[in-house]
Amino acid sequence: MAPTLPERDREVCWHPYTQHALDTEPLAVIGAKGAWLELADGTQRLDAIASWWANLHGHARPELLAAMHAQAAQLDHILFAGFTHEPAVLLAEQLLEIAPAPLSKVFYSDNGSTAVEVALKAAYQTWVRRGEPARTVFLALEGAYHGDTFGAMAVGEPKPFFAEFSPFLFHVVLVPPTAAALEEALADLAGRVAGFIFEPLVQGAAGMRFHSVDFLRDARRICDAHNIFLIADEVMTGFGRTGSLFACDQAGIGPDLMCLAKGLTGGIFPLAATLVSEEIYAAFLAEERAKAFFHGHTFSGHPIGCAVALASLKILRAENTPRKLQHIGHEMERALAPARALPQVKEVRRCGGIVAVELHQNTLENGYLAAVGESLRKACRAHPRVLLRPLGPVLYAMPPSCVTDEECHLIGTAMLELVEAQPDF
Ligand SMILES: Cc1ncc(COP(=O)(O)O)c(C=O)c1O
């Protein structure tokens, strides 16, 4: 008999964030439409995690596919160093129109981690250009996740993912999301800090951990007072996930640098953007070529990605995607509400279109590796209707904006059942 797809996969593929000694059987997906994935075994699962927090409007959305197709036929790819094209310029114009001030230039790359690398490099090198190269420290939040490249790892929480790389990672001070902690760190590090990077409102990989809108305002005020850059990583929170277009909008603040990826193209094409203030862009302008920002990727500003992003923004405006996601969040939360009374449950929370149930843990290990997470992961994997993937002891959902009220109910009740079936740790 011919080998199955998972069997062939096992011979040749190495998957991200996968312990192959334990997880031997990836789910084979053969198609996707709207919020539903079609599996090779003939079953269908509701994509309640939006394919790693990316899918915004649903799979196979005709407008996005048409934009992709038309752009591929017109101009499939061109380098962005010394060249330009209509989709990249139009997208930059539109992004700057909707992004909070004082952002004024768009630097393209192709994934969230590279958007973060660009932000960190541009922020630090601006200090170098200003004659302050000793500002080598970044502040970030405890539990932070900004991606897996070296700079992004450096500003992330070391445990459990990055600790073994510590000999290679630059100096970062992690603080809890409070004004006092930020002030204290800055007082200790006077004159040595380049900037503060954070995921505004929702720290995704930390387990959908939320902080207050007030903290965003505090962060802006404190960074201003200490004259350091505020970097908002809106890779996950951008494009409506938190109920507003950008999380920063809820606080009425604008960062000096903002990282976008995932939902930028509706979540279906790898494209990222780092938006920067004019002040940062201007720091690299000089008659000397050597003062340029020496960073770029083969697929920076990919024409197809930009065309799809423009089509996605059009849908977002026409449908008011942030409002849709907010409604979806409420519907899921309603179905999930009884979980609050379960002995296994520590907290049920919601922000915009994201709901999360945090379970009590039975281990002192970092949350992501908690035993309850392992048992939850197995149960999710086996769920016949809804695709969920816990972050340690936190079960969450963040579906695309096309889900119906009924589908929200299905997600909420699936989460409830999965949690109820867990042993009371
Ligand atoms: C807040 C945040 N920043 C950056 C990244 C990295 O993005 P990518 O996986 O596209 O490199 C992620 C990915 O989950 C993220 O959630």
Side-chain angles (χ1 to χ4, degrees), residues 50-392:
S51 297
W52 249 353
W53 319 345
N55 195 290
L56 199 54
H57 311 294
H59 296 272
R61 180 83 189 219
E63 300 96 310
L64 301 187
L65 302 187
M68 203 186 267
H69 191 257
Q71 186 56 46
Q74 176 69 34
L75 169 66
D76 49 7
H77 177 56
I78 181 72
L79 69 162
F80 206 56
F83 294 80
T84 193
H85 49 82
E86 176 68 21
V89 176
L90 191 56
L91 179 61
E93 287 168 352
Q94 294 194 6
L95 285 176
L96 292 171
E97 230 169 73
I98 57 175
L103 300 167
S104 92
K105 289 286 186 296
V106 176
F107 191 100
Y108 288 113
S109 59
D110 47 24
N111 63 71
S113 304
T114 56
V116 167
E117 294 292 333
V118 167
L120 297 172
K121 286 174 70 175
Y124 175 66
Q125 218 167 11
T126 297
W127 286 114
V128 175
R129 295 282 176 275
R130 289 174 172 175
E132 293 197 54
R135 288 188 178 268
T136 55
V137 184
F138 279 93
L139 301 182
L141 289 183
E142 290 173 355
Y145 178 79
H146 296 287
D148 294 339
T149 48
F150 274 86
M153 285 198 295
V155 291
E157 173 74 46
K159 273 189 175 171
F161 304 138
F162 310 134
E164 289 174 359
F165 291 104
S166 61
F168 300 97
L169 304 180
F170 53 77
H171 189 178
V172 171
V173 174
L174 298 179
V175 296
T178 68
L182 204 51
E183 290 275 23
E184 197 180 321
L186 280 161
D188 287 350
L189 293 159
R192 292 171 51 211
V193 178
F196 169 53
I197 181 166
F198 77 136
E199 299 157 82
L201 292 186
V202 182
Q203 292 185 261
M208 299 302 152
R209 236 189 251 179
F210 305 156
H211 50 248
S212 69
V213 170
D214 281 346
F215 176 68
L216 273 60
R217 293 195 193 102
D218 289 337
R220 180 67 276 180
R221 176 178 52 78
I222 293 166
C223 288
D224 281 342
H226 291 263
N227 188 27
I228 62 161
F229 295 125
L230 179 63
I231 307 171
D233 177 351
E234 295 236 18
V235 166
M236 188 277 275
T237 53
F239 303 103
R241 290 285 174 206
T242 67
S244 52
L245 185 53
F246 300 109
C248 284
D249 295 342
Q250 291 188 37
I253 63 151
D256 302 295
L257 302 102
M258 183 160 90
C259 308
L260 301 173
K262 292 191 185 281
L264 173 59
T265 60
I268 63 165
F269 197 92
L271 183 77
T274 306
L275 279 55
V276 305
S277 66
E278 193 63 24
E279 180 192 0
I280 289 170
Y281 173 74
F284 294 83
L285 294 178
E287 291 303 313
E288 289 163 80
R289 191 168 293 282
K291 293 278 165 69
F293 186 47
F294 289 118
H295 187 106
H297 299 280
T298 309
F299 295 127
S300 291
H302 198 291
I304 300 175
C306 292
V308 179
L310 284 164
S312 173
L313 285 181
K314 195 168 169 193
I315 297 172
L316 187 142
R317 277 190 296 266
E319 295 187 351
N320 197 343
T321 303
R323 200 174 59 202
K324 273 177 92 176
L325 289 169
Q326 180 91 300
H327 171 79
I328 284 164
H330 280 298
E331 289 300 307
M332 292 190 297
E333 190 182 27
R334 212 143 53 104
L336 192 54
R340 291 201 164 91
L342 296 175
Q344 298 93 330
V345 171
K346 191 171 160 196
E347 189 181 49
V348 177
R349 50 185 181 258
R350 182 191 65 79
C351 178
I354 306 167
V355 287
V357 191
E358 181 162 348
L359 305 191
H360 293 292
Q361 301 174 29
N362 66 338
T363 165
L364 294 176
E365 274 293 306
N366 186 298
Y368 188 83
L369 299 177
V372 64
E374 201 57 40
S375 111
L376 199 52
R377 173 187 279 261
K378 283 203 182 85
C380 287
R381 173 76 170 61
H383 197 281
R385 293 288 282 158
V386 182
L387 180 73
L388 291 158
R389 201 170 170 274
L391 292 157

